[in-house]
Amino acid sequence: DGGITQSPKYLFRKEGQNVTLSCEQNLNHDAMYWYRQDPGQGLRLIYYSQIVNDFQKGDIAEGYSVSREKKESFPLTVTSAQKNPTAFYLCASSLTGTSGQETQYFGPGTRLLVL
Amino acid sequence: EDQVTQSPEALRLQEGESSSLNCSYTVSGLRGLFWYRQDPGKGPEFLFTLYSAGEEKEKERLKATLTKKESFLHITAPKPEDSATYLCAGGNSWGKLQFGAGTQVVVTP
């Protein structure tokens, strides 16, 4: 079954702690994305990657970091510099990421809560 | 700056009561208009892509249409299982999607 998996489903962060959210896809897609979803707001792009070992900042990259060492994997680290990390985080992928015509497919999401 | 606005924010329908959701957009060089369905606590599920004004697509009780300034998602004779948040997004010429805040639909029996 092809798809996108995210783990964990829930994550708790303590003050000053970095936490990493996992995203894996087996769709053979080149492009992967991280979005943040807050109540009453649209999905906002954090980072995206169109190819291994390359990634670009989205609209709200401050306080986040990513890596893309494998085509299948695009982990997101929420650093202690992100002062308001409580949100629902969604990972997505698409075929190439170079066209606004491409469908992005989403994972099930990770909810991050601050202790 | 790309912008997508959805209305209404919330919609409560009786089972069988048809209605429409609106998605107004200003997206640079729009390449595609996407509709997704999102259930509480889950990731968005893809429904439709529309590429040009005048295009329509249907799936069960849902029909999406596109004009040069907005898109509509028509829900015909909805059932309780159609309750969800419906998101629209515009894809621009750089390959990025701009999402609206969504319309939360509740269908009561």
Side-chain angles (χ1 to χ4, degrees), chain A residues 2-114:
Chain A
I4 301 173
T5 57
Q6 291 185 241
S7 62
K9 187 171 182 180
Y10 296 97
L11 188 57
F12 298 91
R13 194 190 91 164
K14 294 180 183 178
E15 197 74 34
Q17 187 181 39
N18 293 352
V19 292
T20 298
L21 286 62
S22 169
C23 177
E24 303 273 335
Q25 56 97 1
N26 61 3
L27 299 169
N28 201 30
H29 285 170
D30 286 326
M32 297 186 73
Y33 311 81
W34 275 105
Y35 290 92
R36 172 181 171 139
Q37 187 174 35
D38 295 281
Q41 296 192 42
L43 275 66
R44 292 182 291 167
L45 183 64
I46 304 172
Y47 269 98
Y48 65 102
S49 168
Q50 294 172 318
I51 196 168
V52 173
N53 292 323
D54 190 37
F55 47 83
Q56 286 79 40
K57 293 181 179 180
D59 301 319
I60 55 163
E62 186 175 348
Y64 301 97
S65 65
V66 293
S67 63
R68 186 87 186 274
E69 296 176 2
K70 297 188 301 182
K71 184 176 182 176
E72 302 80 18
S73 179
F74 192 40
L76 173 74
T77 296
V78 183
T79 74
S80 57
Q82 173 49 245
K83 297 306 179 189
N84 184 23
T86 297
F88 191 49
Y89 290 86
L90 289 160
C91 178
S93 73
S94 69
L95 200 57
T96 68
T98 57
S99 166
Q101 294 183 324
E102 281 183 7
T103 300
Q104 292 183 16
Y105 297 92
F106 285 84
T110 292
R111 187 163 298 280
L112 177 60
L113 300 165
V114 177

Side-chain angles (χ1 to χ4, degrees), chain B residues 57-103:
Chain B
K57 287 193 176 172
E58 285 189 68
K59 180 180 179 179
E60 296 182 358
R61 295 174 293 282
L62 301 176
K63 183 168 86 171
T65 62
L66 181 65
T67 73
K68 289 186 177 179
K69 292 184 178 179
E70 55 194 354
S71 178
F72 294 93
L73 185 66
H74 308 278
I75 310 178
T76 302
K79 298 182 177 182
E81 52 261 44
D82 295 320
S83 297
T85 296
Y86 292 88
L87 305 174
C88 78
N92 67 19
S93 51
W94 291 276
K96 291 172 70 176
L97 294 190
Q98 182 69 41
F99 281 84
T103 294

